[in-house]
Amino acid sequence: TSVGTEFQISGEEANIGRWDADNGIFPDIDLDVSDPEAKVSRRHARIIYEGGKFMIEDLGSTNGTFVNRGRRLIPGNPHILSDNDEIIVGKTFLRF
């Protein structure tokens, strides 16, 4: 995947990670193609829509989740997202 690829978020939750048929992991936002070094965990993070707000939550990933180059998110502690926030999962950059 390259610059300009869009991932649609439908529903109240979208999982971010890498596809793994052997273990039955099929993330809504599959970064397998854009993560040649495998820095994104299979179950890395998830975007949650609740109470009219979008949030991102790290799922205990190996290489962390960051928003706007701030501190690494604490697993299980959702962070509210705003339009155009930069999300970093592993070494992959996403724009919300």
Side-chain angles (χ1 to χ4, degrees):
T1 316
S2 60
V3 171
T5 300
E6 288 191 12
F7 298 99
Q8 296 296 320
I9 298 172
S10 58
E12 297 177 356
E13 203 172 284
N15 290 303
I16 301 171
R18 288 187 301 113
W19 191 80
D20 180 4
D22 294 341
N23 291 306
I25 300 170
F26 307 103
D28 304 295
I29 300 172
D30 179 9
L31 299 177
D32 198 42
V33 175
S34 40
D35 182 38
E37 297 176 47
K39 298 294 184 187
V40 174
S41 298
R42 284 174 169 61
R43 288 190 177 101
H44 197 102
R46 68 180 172 163
I47 293 178
I48 306 158
Y49 182 72
E50 186 178 288
K53 295 180 181 170
F54 282 97
M55 296 172 275
I56 188 162
E57 175 183 23
D58 186 88
L59 298 175
S61 65
T62 302
N63 292 305
T65 303
F66 303 85
V67 177
N68 297 326
R69 302 181 193 236
R71 289 190 168 155
R72 181 177 180 153
L73 297 185
I74 297 166
N77 189 10
H79 176 89
I80 294 174
L81 291 169
S82 300
D83 284 350
N84 290 314
D85 274 353
E86 179 185 69
I87 300 167
I88 305 172
V89 288
K91 285 188 174 179
T92 303
F93 290 71
L94 305 170
R95 173 87 44 207
F96 180 75

